[in-house]
Amino acid sequence: MTTSHTTQAVDTLIHARYVIPVNPKGVVLEHYSAALLDNKIISILPTTEALSLFTATESFELKQHVLMPGLINAHGHAAMSLFRGLADDLPLMEWLNDHIWPAEGEWVSENFVRDGTELAIAEMIRSGTSCFSDMYFFPNIAAKTANKIGIRAQFCCPVLDFPTIWGTGPDDYIEKALKLSDEYKSNSLINIGLGPHAPYTVSDQPLEKIRDIALESNLPIQIHLHETQHEVDDAIIQSGQSPIQRLKKLGLIGPDIPLQCVHMTALSPQDIEILSTSNVQIIHCPESNLKLASGFCEASKLLDSGINVALGTDGAASNNDLDMFGEMRTAALIAKPIAKNAAALDAATALEMATLGGAKALGLDQKTGSIEIGKCADLIAINLDALNSQPSFDPISDIVYSVASNQVSHHWINGKLLLQDGKLLNLDVKNIISKAQQWAAKIKSTDTSITNK
Ligand SMILES: [Zn+2]
């Protein structure tokens, strides 16, 4: 007797040596495949079964590779990539006041944001980041650039007490954010939110307005918070309360608003108590915190308190790259001396923070962050056929502790292949680099700290 069966047609079949779905945590499936239809993952199954059940328009045999969810860079300032290396080895306020803010005043424009964002996105897609959050001037231009390239992103429109090139003051910034949010409300890749810069640059009244908007229309909010001990000490001297206590009083930290808080160093036991009873999402940027000597976020302790912690690179001006593999490694390594425990923040936890944790922080965990049926196909393949990845006993440990980001060979975002065999398919790398060099030549001509070197 012969059996016959019909096969199901799909767009893409990816056969991989290993599949790491991230949910369930710590699981590694060997000789598994993913089937993609339209922009979604419709099946994850053993390769032998996939070959008999599906026919695909395009198939990929990734024999030495790990297939896993794309990484999520939950905090950054994409266009600042054009300031990469402009002012290094300086403390935060000197770096901001004497270099970054003057350079921004001189150079930030629509063209600067378009070229800088494109540079950042190219670097991120090449290094395995499928989704990023951005907070910078001209978010309209940055969103347009991301949408055109096809990367998933959240743009938190800046809100400050003072005028900048992007607006005249809080009301104007908020109005522009709402207009942009309206423009992108049915876009599947781009989310628009509000980005009050920091507690020391935004006063109570605009923060209350932002709170009301978040409650009414569900817009995400991201804020730099407790970046340094100095910020916390200053706030306590001025108002008798830590910035976290102030935001709780203003109703921004509580059970109803999933406030995305970036940095979160210098936390008192009272602060952690407030956070653990709220819906706060924490975005840990260990490399930026280290480079600016900002302080330490006790990520392991926060995770143990039941708080979601995601990872971000921050801008390339304070990192100096947008490499989430580096960020995972640094997060895992730095957690150990902080907790005085080598078991703190293990590899599976670091990987989860950089994927599903990021998706949760940005409110996108129904769509992305893990390889699960029904989620969007935001996937990367990592080639383990490299000296620094052999032998391989545990692919999760390899990814966090020894893989280099240039081992990312393939990258699908929303089902679309954007990187194949390490080559960006829809971006002109030569042109992007040439534009970055032109910007550097202009910036160099005006920053005396560089010209005097
Ligand atoms: Zn930042």
Side-chain angles (χ1 to χ4, degrees), residues 99-424:
H99 298 274
I100 295 302
W101 284 343
E104 286 182 335
E106 178 83 29
W107 293 110
V108 174
S109 64
E110 293 196 355
N111 286 343
F112 177 95
V113 169
R114 186 198 59 223
D115 294 348
T117 304
E118 194 183 35
L119 171 67
I121 292 173
E123 182 186 352
M124 287 192 276
I125 295 175
R126 178 67 192 87
S127 57
T129 293
S130 300
C131 174
F132 71 101
S133 181
D134 196 46
M135 187 196 287
Y136 209 59
F137 309 111
F138 298 107
N140 54 334
I141 302 296
K144 197 173 160 187
T145 306
N147 190 42
K148 192 172 151 212
I149 295 169
I151 190 168
R152 198 178 299 288
Q154 165 186 276
F155 293 91
C156 292
C157 304
V159 180
L160 300 128
D161 278 346
F162 45 87
T164 65
I165 190 160
W166 172 241
T168 55
D171 289 342
D172 188 31
Y173 294 125
I174 292 171
E175 199 185 310
K176 283 180 168 145
L178 293 175
K179 190 169 158 262
L180 197 61
S181 161
D182 215 37
E183 218 177 288
Y184 281 92
K185 66 172 180 283
S186 53
N187 188 298
S188 60
L189 283 175
I190 307 297
N191 272 21
I192 304 294
L194 289 156
H197 169 258
Y200 55 91
T201 49
V202 190
S203 48
D204 286 359
Q205 210 191 356
L207 285 172
E208 284 166 345
K209 195 169 167 182
I210 287 168
R211 173 203 63 204
D212 293 343
I213 292 168
L215 286 170
E216 226 169 80
S217 55
N218 245 345
L219 286 199
I221 312 172
Q222 189 169 101
I223 186 168
H224 294 104
L225 189 62
H226 281 230
E227 185 163 3
T228 61
Q229 185 71 54
H230 177 75
E231 172 194 330
V232 177
D233 292 346
D234 259 10
I236 291 171
I237 290 166
Q238 282 170 26
S239 66
Q241 56 192 347
S242 74
I244 287 174
Q245 288 158 357
R246 176 175 157 227
L247 291 187
K248 180 177 163 61
K249 237 180 225 167
L250 289 171
L252 274 147
I253 289 181
D256 302 323
I257 299 180
L259 185 70
Q260 301 168 20
C261 303
V262 183
H263 298 309
M264 302 297 263
T265 76
L267 302 177
S268 68
Q270 294 91 316
D271 291 330
I272 294 181
E273 175 62 28
I274 290 172
L275 299 174
S276 63
T277 54
S278 73
N279 190 12
V280 146
Q281 305 296 313
I282 291 183
I283 297 156
H284 177 30
C285 303
E287 293 192 354
S288 174
N289 291 162
L290 285 167
K291 182 156 184 278
L292 296 168
S294 294
F296 300 105
C297 168
E298 293 181 275
S300 187
K301 193 194 262 185
L302 293 165
L303 288 164
D304 289 347
S305 309
I307 301 164
N308 182 45
V309 184
L311 291 177
T313 58
D314 214 344
S318 66
N319 187 298
N320 290 0
D321 58 40
L322 307 178
D323 182 343
M324 286 294 290
F325 286 90
E327 218 60 42
M328 277 192 279
R329 188 170 312 155
T330 306
L333 293 177
I334 198 177
K336 299 170 194 312
I338 291 173
K340 296 188 174 62
N341 176 9
L345 220 162
D346 59 27
T349 302
L351 184 65
E352 187 181 52
M353 289 164 77
T355 51
L356 195 52
K360 278 182 190 159
L362 306 186
L364 295 173
D365 50 317
Q366 296 303 312
K367 264 191 186 177
T368 189
S370 56
I371 302 186
E372 291 183 72
I373 293 169
K375 281 201 177 183
C376 297
D378 294 351
L379 304 168
I380 59 173
I382 300 162
N383 188 354
L384 295 183
D385 187 21
L387 291 172
N388 55 298
S389 296
Q390 292 298 328
S392 175
F393 299 108
D394 173 359
I396 294 179
S397 157
D398 297 337
I399 288 166
V400 173
Y401 292 119
S402 61
V403 158
S405 61
N406 63 9
Q407 287 171 251
V408 175
S409 60
H410 293 68
H411 196 160
W412 292 260
I413 300 179
N414 215 27
K416 195 172 170 207
L417 184 66
L418 298 181
L419 182 86
Q420 185 166 20
D421 298 317
K423 297 265 178 314
L424 288 159

